[in-house]
């Protein structure tokens, strides 16, 4: 039996009713002590009943129909479409759990978010080696209604005389409704929207899943274990507290850490080469973004340029500022355990290509730089969408390797449709299912940043 021991002198004013112990303390009749304490409080506050209630307002709800792990743009998009498509308002309870506190800046009393779109287009350059692939991509984009054109090096240079066409065999240019916008504004605006729709938010870390399981045999004779997540344990931020949340569905939208969340659910913990032993191949990869100033640089009509070297850049605002960077090679991958910026990377790997393509960038001055994480899919650098075949109520919206923002509206809707309808409805996303990792079927996209 658990006994609470009160040392003499520690709580003056409280009676010391109980049995003396060998060490000189007292073993308390705890129910009596609580009753005495309540009576004392009630004597101070007459007319008020004393109830010792623990404040749980900071904890997530004990039950939620859907738990979304990750409060980034993909997680919020899934939350939005779940509430948008629910049969009636309030029919479904959705909880978003986000570990990164930078997503939790106060937005309730902040001014309305203005999402500004810069429609300057995107200019993708291809060498002789990649020209056929670029041409094929543009053909497909036109079939889907995109206003995009192909340019010869001469046409490109006539349109953008500040650019050197050396090494360029072909270019594609978006003529309409193409450009860029501020990702942070979109994130905050979408967060506000889903809050207004009744979505709950919690800052904490998912540390454990409680599952139930049963065994079955596949048509090929393989014995597999089907699991269902019944509870998600959420450890509260900067606290030892945790809250178990009973749920029907879990959405893994944890970005760079979605591989760890999958492993926590038992995904990949089986014999190599089996479905049960197939891991979610998503891991954090560190990427740098640099901001520079160049008064002699290209003007306001400058599109987002993706060079044949892998370097990209675009204008940032109206003050002759530019933003850009480049993904490293596999051998150059930086340490992902921190977000420190390697400034030599810009000097040695980015700047020479910038100057080669835009000679006026020779005089640029770097103003600032920062680092962030890609949810990098090591298998084919493409997204993972939909349910896991064995952990039957875990759904994925992750692995887009830096392109999640572009695809977020469609991915959120696809995952919500799969949860609510049992199948993809608006767009067939079956090529992005988890099973392709087991089957070895890569879904590779070419000419991407």
């Amino acid at each position: 039996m658990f006994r609470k021991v009160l040392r003499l002198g520690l709580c003056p004013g409280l009676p010391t009713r109980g049995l003396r112990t060998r060490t000189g303390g007292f073993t308390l009749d705890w129910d009596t002590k609580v009753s005495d304490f309540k009576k004392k409080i009630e004597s101070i506050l007459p007319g008020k009943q004393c109830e010792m209630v623990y404040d749980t307002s900071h904890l997530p709800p004990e039950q939620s129909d859907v738990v979304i792990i990750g409060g980034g743009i993909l997680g919020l998009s899934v939350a939005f479409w779940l509430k948008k498509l629910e049969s009636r308002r309030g029919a479904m309870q959705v909880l978003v759990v986000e570990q990164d506190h930078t997503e939790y800046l106060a937005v309730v009393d902040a001014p309305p978010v203005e999402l500004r779109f810069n429609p300057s287009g995107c200019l993708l350059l291809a060498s002789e080696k990649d020209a056929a692939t670029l041409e094929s991509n543009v053909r497909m984009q036109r079939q889907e209604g995109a206003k995009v054109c192909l340019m010869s090096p001469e046409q490109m240079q006539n349109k953008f005389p500040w650019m050197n066409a050396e090494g360029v065999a072909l270019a594609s240019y978006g003529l309409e409704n193409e450009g860029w916008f501020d990702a942070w504004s979109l994130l905050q605006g979408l967060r506000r929207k889903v809050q207004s729709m009744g979505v709950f938010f919690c800052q904490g870390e998912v540390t454990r899943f409680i599952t139930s399981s049963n065994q079955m045999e596949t048509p090929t004779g393989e014995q597999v274990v089907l699991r269902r997540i019944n509870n998600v344990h959420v450890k509260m931020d900067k606290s030892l507290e945790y809250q178990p949340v009973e749920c029907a569905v879990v959405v893994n939208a944890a970005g760079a850490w979605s591989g760890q969340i999958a492993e926590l659910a038992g995904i990949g913990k089986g014999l190599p080469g089996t479905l049960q032993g197939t891991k979610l191949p998503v891991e954090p990869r560190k990427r740098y973004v640099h901001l520079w100033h160049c008064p002699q640089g290209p003007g306001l009509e400058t599109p987002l340029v993706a060079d044949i070297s892998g370097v990209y850049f675009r204008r940032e605002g109206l003050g002759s500022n530019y933003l850009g960077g480049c993904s490293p090679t596999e051998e150059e991958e930086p340490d992902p355990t921190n977000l420190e910026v390697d400034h030599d990377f810009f000097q040695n790997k980015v700047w020479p290509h910038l100057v080669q393509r835009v000679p006026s960038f020779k005089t640029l001055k770097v103003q600032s730089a920062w680092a962030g994480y890609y949810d990098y899919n090591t298998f084919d650098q493409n997204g993972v969408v939909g349910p896991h075949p064995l952990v039957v109520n875990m759904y994925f919206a992750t692995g887009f390797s830096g392109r999640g923002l572009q695809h977020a509206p469609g991915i959120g809707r696809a995952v919500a449709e799969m949860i609510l309808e049992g199948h993809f409805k608006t767009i067939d996303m079956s090529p992005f299912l988890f099973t392709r990792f087991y089957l070895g079927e890569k879904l590779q996209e070419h000419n991407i940043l």
Side-chain angles (χ1 to χ4, degrees):
M1 180 180 293
F2 177 75
R3 298 186 302 174
K4 292 184 180 288
V5 178
L6 177 68
R7 297 281 183 186
L8 287 174
L10 290 182
C11 294
L14 288 179
T16 55
R17 188 183 296 117
L19 300 176
R20 184 178 295 278
T21 66
R22 292 182 181 179
T23 57
F26 285 83
T27 302
L28 295 178
D29 178 347
W30 193 247
D31 291 338
T32 302
K33 299 309 302 172
V34 172
S35 177
D36 289 349
F37 183 71
K38 288 172 66 176
K39 288 178 182 178
K40 191 165 186 175
I41 296 297
E42 287 168 356
S43 69
I44 300 172
L45 302 172
K48 296 201 179 276
Q49 187 175 2
C50 178
E51 294 293 340
M52 299 181 69
V53 180
Y54 175 60
D55 180 16
T56 60
S57 60
H58 63 293
L59 295 177
E62 294 181 355
Q63 294 178 321
S64 183
D65 296 302
V66 180
V67 174
I68 299 174
I69 304 172
I73 195 67
L74 285 171
L76 294 182
S77 181
V78 174
F80 170 81
W81 283 108
L82 283 172
K83 299 301 287 184
K84 179 80 171 176
L85 300 175
E86 65 183 345
S87 58
R88 57 180 173 79
R89 184 172 176 84
M92 179 185 304
Q93 183 160 316
V94 178
L95 169 67
V96 175
V97 180
E98 175 56 63
Q99 183 177 358
D100 184 358
H101 71 279
T102 60
E103 310 288 3
Y104 279 80
L105 299 181
V107 296
V108 176
D109 298 320
V113 174
E114 181 181 2
L115 185 60
R116 294 182 178 179
F117 175 67
N118 188 319
S120 295
C122 298
L123 182 68
L124 308 184
L125 312 184
S127 64
E128 194 69 46
K129 176 174 66 74
D130 296 320
T133 300
L134 181 62
E135 189 171 2
S136 175
N137 289 348
V138 168
R139 189 181 307 115
M140 181 270 291
Q141 292 160 8
R142 285 173 172 169
Q143 290 172 354
E144 296 300 320
K147 302 288 181 65
V148 58
C149 71
L150 289 170
M151 289 181 171
S152 67
E154 295 75 24
Q155 289 171 323
M156 181 191 73
Q157 207 158 26
N158 287 335
K159 175 73 174 174
F160 306 110
W162 41 265
M163 186 176 294
N164 175 16
E166 182 182 350
V168 176
L170 194 65
S172 71
Y173 178 55
L175 299 172
E176 190 177 300
N177 298 326
E178 189 173 277
W180 60 89
F181 52 84
D182 177 38
W184 180 251
S185 296
L186 176 63
L187 183 72
Q188 294 306 311
L190 188 54
R191 177 180 164 85
R192 282 185 178 182
K193 179 61 178 178
V194 298
Q195 280 181 315
S196 74
M197 299 170 84
V199 172
F200 292 87
F201 283 82
C202 165
Q203 185 179 345
E205 177 186 3
V206 172
T207 59
R208 186 184 181 194
F209 295 112
I210 304 298
T211 64
S212 56
S213 62
N214 64 296
Q215 197 167 31
M216 66 165 287
E217 185 175 307
T218 67
T220 60
E222 181 184 348
Q223 295 290 324
V224 296
V225 177
L226 297 182
R227 286 193 301 279
R228 175 175 291 275
I229 298 171
N230 301 314
N231 284 271
V232 178
H233 283 201
V234 181
K235 180 182 176 297
M236 306 312 297
D237 185 54
K238 299 178 182 178
S239 171
L240 296 178
E241 296 175 288
Y242 81 91
Q243 172 82 309
V245 181
E246 185 180 351
C247 62
V249 170
V250 174
V251 177
N252 185 345
W257 293 269
S258 55
Q260 297 176 20
I261 293 296
E263 187 175 353
L264 197 65
I267 293 171
K269 294 185 177 179
L271 293 175
T274 66
L275 183 57
Q276 203 151 336
T278 303
K279 298 178 181 293
L280 177 66
V282 177
E283 64 184 34
R285 293 286 180 96
K286 185 164 71 172
R287 295 292 181 264
Y288 308 122
V289 179
H290 303 269
L291 181 70
W292 63 88
H293 182 69
C294 185
Q296 296 79 31
L300 295 177
E301 83 290 354
T302 305
L304 187 154
V305 178
D307 189 44
I308 60 176
S309 64
V311 168
Y312 71 91
F313 68 90
R314 64 169 174 81
R315 283 187 68 93
E316 175 70 1
L318 303 176
S320 298
N321 292 319
Y322 303 83
L323 178 150
C326 178
S327 291
T329 64
E330 195 70 28
E331 296 74 28
E332 296 169 340
E333 281 291 347
D335 178 10
T337 61
N338 63 69
L339 287 177
E340 296 176 1
V341 174
D342 179 4
H343 296 280
D344 289 338
F345 184 81
F346 180 86
Q347 191 68 26
N348 299 328
K349 302 296 182 179
V350 180
W351 183 71
H353 295 293
L354 287 173
V355 174
Q356 195 276 334
R357 187 62 58 211
V358 183
S360 60
F361 277 157
K362 187 175 182 179
T363 60
L364 69 79
K365 301 294 182 184
V366 176
Q367 302 294 305
S368 62
W370 59 93
Y373 290 116
Y374 274 8
D375 53 341
Y376 192 82
N377 179 347
T378 60
F379 181 74
D380 58 11
Q381 295 79 60
N382 231 319
V384 192
V385 183
H388 188 268
L390 300 180
V391 183
V392 295
N393 62 336
M394 174 172 275
Y395 294 76
F396 297 109
T398 186
F400 284 88
S401 306
R403 304 186 303 283
L405 182 68
Q406 301 172 35
H407 299 302
I411 298 307
R413 181 164 194 155
V415 173
E417 288 175 350
M418 178 61 81
I419 292 171
L420 298 174
E421 306 282 346
H423 60 90
F424 297 123
K425 192 173 179 181
T426 305
I427 304 174
D428 180 15
M429 301 295 294
S430 54
F432 294 85
L433 288 170
F434 178 95
T435 47
R436 76 180 192 270
F437 305 135
Y438 169 64
L439 298 172
E441 298 174 351
K442 292 189 176 184
L443 183 65
Q444 289 187 311
E445 186 178 350
H446 302 279
N447 290 102
I448 58 174
L449 296 181

